[in-house]
Amino acid sequence: MRKQMAGVTLIAAALLAVQPLVEKELGLSLQQTQVQPSIGEMETVKPARQVPATLVETIDGDTIKVEVMGKTETVRYLLIDTPESKKPGKCVQSYAKDAYKRNNELVKSDKIVFEFEAGNTRDIYGRLLAYVYVDGKSVQKTLLQEGLARVGYIMKPPYKYLEEYKNHENLAKKNKEKIWSMQGFVTEWGFNGCEPDWVH
């Protein structure tokens, strides 16, 4: 119990340290909320510091456009990568449409909140980088568990959820879920081949 409490204290301290950085860079005010998991949803985890947002558009499997504090922002999901469906000069890859559809279902179902990682708030394209939650459930975790995403873009470690995400990825890989059902499709740098090249 003491170890668990110490872990919670460390996480809370880390999130408090992130707050001024995010507020300064993004012009946002982060709110502290209580975690109240519903019955049967004990794995539901809401970040202690949240940024609420309103969905504008689902771009693809790992990117959305939102309204945040009166600003329109494109948000790229931290630590995951899904097959490409709309990248200029790239073909539609296998499971890209499935990832888009599932992501769209998740983010349209309820209120969206973000959690940020210190030192990793924007990518080189100016997009926000965030952990995304809907109704207290991690969108990244769901996409990884269902075999629609791989762990990727580990640019500036450490990341608080990296090991947890890798565990979900490994289980999906072991079970040959979707992207992991095709040998050689998932690579260290993304995904190999276009949709017609694979049958699924």
Side-chain angles (χ1 to χ4, degrees):
M1 184 65 180
R2 287 181 180 175
K3 287 184 178 179
Q4 186 177 13
M5 289 302 295
V8 170
T9 303
L10 286 172
I11 290 169
L15 289 169
L16 284 170
V18 174
Q19 182 182 8
L21 172 70
V22 176
E23 286 182 342
K24 182 178 178 183
E25 183 177 338
L26 309 178
L28 302 175
S29 179
L30 306 187
Q31 304 170 17
Q32 187 166 10
T33 60
Q34 298 293 324
V35 178
Q36 294 292 340
S38 58
I39 296 172
E41 297 292 347
M42 295 311 292
E43 289 190 15
T44 296
V45 177
K46 291 186 180 180
R49 294 282 174 174
Q50 300 181 359
V51 178
T54 302
L55 181 69
V56 172
E57 178 187 5
T58 304
I59 305 297
D60 57 23
D62 52 35
T63 312
I64 55 176
K65 189 174 287 188
V66 298
E67 286 287 337
V68 184
M69 300 295 286
K71 299 178 182 179
T72 301
E73 295 271 10
T74 300
V75 179
R76 180 69 168 74
Y77 297 176
L78 266 170
L79 294 182
I80 70 163
D81 182 32
T82 61
E84 298 289 351
S85 61
K86 297 181 179 179
K87 191 170 183 178
K90 280 217 169 190
C91 60
V92 175
Q93 296 179 318
S94 291
Y95 291 107
K97 293 174 183 175
D98 301 83
Y100 163 79
K101 182 179 178 184
R102 184 65 174 124
N103 184 31
N104 192 48
E105 288 172 355
L106 292 168
V107 295
K108 275 189 170 182
S109 66
D110 209 329
K111 295 178 182 177
I112 301 169
V113 294
F114 301 142
E115 180 183 0
F116 294 96
E117 184 80 69
N120 289 281
T121 52
R122 288 193 186 272
D123 67 9
I124 60 172
Y125 304 106
R127 300 177 297 187
L128 288 182
L129 295 171
Y131 300 111
V132 182
Y133 299 83
V134 177
D135 193 26
K137 296 179 183 178
S138 167
V139 176
Q140 277 106 316
K141 177 179 170 181
T142 299
L143 293 171
L144 287 166
Q145 286 177 326
E146 295 180 6
L148 290 168
R150 70 179 186 97
V151 173
Y153 298 103
I154 306 167
M155 302 297 191
K156 298 177 185 177
Y159 292 92
K160 60 177 76 83
Y161 301 123
L162 180 57
E163 290 308 310
E164 179 185 350
Y165 285 7
K166 283 183 175 178
N167 289 337
H168 295 309
E169 178 188 69
N170 287 335
L171 186 57
K173 189 187 299 187
K174 180 181 177 181
N175 294 332
K176 296 187 179 346
E177 297 285 353
K178 298 180 176 70
I179 62 172
W180 303 106
S181 66
M182 303 178 296
Q183 189 173 1
F185 178 60
V186 183
T187 74
E188 185 180 351
W189 305 107
F191 303 92
N192 183 30
C194 304
E195 192 169 47
D197 299 337
W198 302 91
V199 178
H200 65 269

